[in-house]
Amino acid sequence: MTIKRCSFLVPGDLNTRTGGYTYDRRVIDGLRAQQWEVEVQTLGEGYPAPAAAALAQAGRVADALPDGALAVVDGLAFGVLPDLAQRHAQRLCWIALVHHPLSLETGLDAAQQRALFESERRALASARGVIVTSSSTARALAAFDVPDSRIVVVEPGTEPAPLAAGSGTDALSLLCVATVTPRKGHALLIEALAGLKDRCWTLHCAGSLVMDAACASALMQAIERHGLRERVVLHGEQDEAGLCALYAKADAFVLPSFHEGYGMALAEALAYGLPVISTRAGAIPDTVPADAGLLVSPGDAIALRAALQRLMDDAAWRAQLKAGAQRARGRLPTWQQSGARFASVLADFRQPAGGA
């Protein structure tokens, strides 16, 4: 029997609590459930702006892989390692796992965007295959000169969840689950809610406050400046039990992202039957059905405020969205399905290039 084996190369710590790392962990578990031997190795810290030490570590890891090895590399690292990818392209089977293009991160200046775009374009040229988490990201990679034949979509799974019980109070409980970085739009959310202080609501934010300390500090200052300290709770990073408790007590979910390669937290919200207020950014329209949420233009605080105001004022409409979310929860893929599909895709990509 042919041994199914791959190396899974990740930037930093695989146990980091973000959507991308959660996807990596669950896919690795899924591969092992499909009888794959998976060796996980770290490429060092600091991606997508690795220091010399991380680049040296990535080089050592790649050098040590045996000829013909199937190497799945998280795109947060692969996109900034074009020279390493090219150097080993003939002897390794590179599989790039792209959650979303690096140049689409919020807060980059034009020069940074160009540099990341060119770096990722060069790296992807060396990949045997590219796995993405949404059709939106697959379409975005056309600009990187990646042929459609080398791109496969493997959507994240979603853990089944009980329907949220809600806050049970007159004050609407809004939940935002996202690491505090510029791309997630927390500052925009505070600006929108600042104009709704006459309504009864509380915002609960779950997500790391240390991954981008400057962004977190600016968020705290904005909360103070708008006089919302008693209305906004920053819970920081939560474990599974903590997240489940927050989802269970929420009345609605809000995430004003500037871009999402899929939006795993949005799918989680649907699994709990929560109505969603978000944006038409990246893959979000593919993740959130029209009858389960209202999507506004990214960066539009006025439109976001109007959506939140309607959510607060129109109980019948909120109930309609909740019903739509409850219908959507039954259509979400499971992690078992995602793991099996990932394994099938790897099996196809590991075939010799001439037969792929």
Side-chain angles (χ1 to χ4, degrees):
M1 184 177 71
T2 303
I3 297 176
K4 297 178 290 187
R5 179 184 294 121
C6 74
S7 293
F8 210 108
L9 312 184
V10 298
D13 182 359
L14 180 62
N15 293 314
T16 302
R17 298 190 65 82
T18 67
Y21 282 101
T22 297
Y23 182 97
D24 293 356
R25 290 193 300 272
R26 297 304 296 262
V27 160
I28 289 167
D29 290 343
L31 287 172
R32 288 170 173 161
Q34 295 288 322
Q35 309 305 312
W36 280 72
E37 294 183 6
V38 184
E39 180 186 26
V40 179
Q41 298 190 67
T42 180
L43 299 173
E45 303 287 343
Y47 292 89
L55 292 175
Q57 182 169 340
R60 290 192 296 271
V61 169
D63 289 344
L65 293 174
D67 289 353
L70 182 65
V72 181
V73 192
D74 187 289
L76 183 63
F78 193 77
V80 293
L81 297 172
D83 294 334
L84 181 146
Q86 186 175 21
R87 186 165 68 249
H88 294 279
Q90 297 304 311
R91 72 177 199 88
L92 300 177
C93 179
W94 291 122
I95 306 298
L97 171 54
V98 179
H99 299 286
H100 68 85
L102 299 177
S103 56
L104 296 183
E105 190 64 56
T106 302
L108 301 173
D109 61 34
Q112 291 171 319
Q113 287 179 335
R114 286 194 299 271
L116 283 171
F117 175 87
E118 182 59 21
S119 174
E120 194 159 20
R121 187 192 66 79
R122 290 177 53 217
L124 291 173
S126 298
R128 170 81 61 84
V130 181
I131 297 175
V132 297
T133 57
S134 69
S135 297
S136 173
T137 300
R139 293 190 294 270
L141 290 187
F144 293 77
D145 301 325
V146 182
D148 289 345
S149 60
R150 287 201 284 122
I151 304 173
V152 179
V153 178
V154 182
E155 289 187 349
T158 305
E159 198 70 33
L163 290 173
S167 61
T169 69
D170 292 335
L172 201 68
S173 179
L174 305 174
L175 176 62
C176 179
V177 177
T179 300
V180 178
T181 64
R183 180 166 58 86
K184 298 298 184 176
H186 291 83
L188 192 79
L189 179 55
I190 296 304
E191 181 182 348
L193 287 171
L196 299 171
K197 285 193 263 188
D198 58 336
R199 268 76 174 177
C200 292
W201 56 267
T202 301
L203 172 65
H204 294 269
C205 295
S208 174
L209 299 169
V210 299
M211 192 167 290
D212 189 328
C215 184
S217 177
L219 175 62
M220 295 175 193
Q221 292 173 26
I223 292 169
E224 289 288 339
R225 186 169 62 252
H226 289 293
L228 296 176
R229 184 169 57 176
E230 303 303 318
R231 310 284 293 274
V232 179
V233 184
L234 301 180
H235 293 271
E237 186 174 276
Q238 296 290 299
D239 60 16
E240 290 301 320
L243 278 178
C244 288
L246 289 171
Y247 275 115
K249 295 179 181 179
D251 297 306
F253 188 88
V254 58
L255 183 64
S257 287
F258 287 86
H259 183 81
E260 289 291 337
Y262 177 77
M264 287 171 56
L266 293 161
E268 287 179 354
L270 295 176
Y272 282 91
L274 291 173
V276 171
I277 301 296
S278 191
T279 66
R280 294 186 293 271
I284 294 175
D286 298 328
T287 305
V288 180
D291 63 347
L294 179 61
L295 307 182
V296 302
S297 297
D300 190 338
I302 295 175
L304 180 60
R305 181 180 299 151
L308 290 167
Q309 180 176 331
R310 185 180 180 189
L311 187 79
M312 296 171 188
D313 294 350
D314 192 339
W317 180 65
R318 191 167 67 245
Q320 290 175 6
L321 294 184
K322 185 175 181 179
Q326 291 178 5
R327 288 189 292 270
R329 70 198 291 260
R331 301 191 298 267
L332 295 168
T334 66
W335 280 113
Q336 183 179 13
Q337 292 169 332
S338 298
R341 174 157 172 74
F342 202 101
S344 176
V345 169
L346 282 192
D348 289 341
F349 278 140
R350 76 201 291 249
Q351 300 301 319

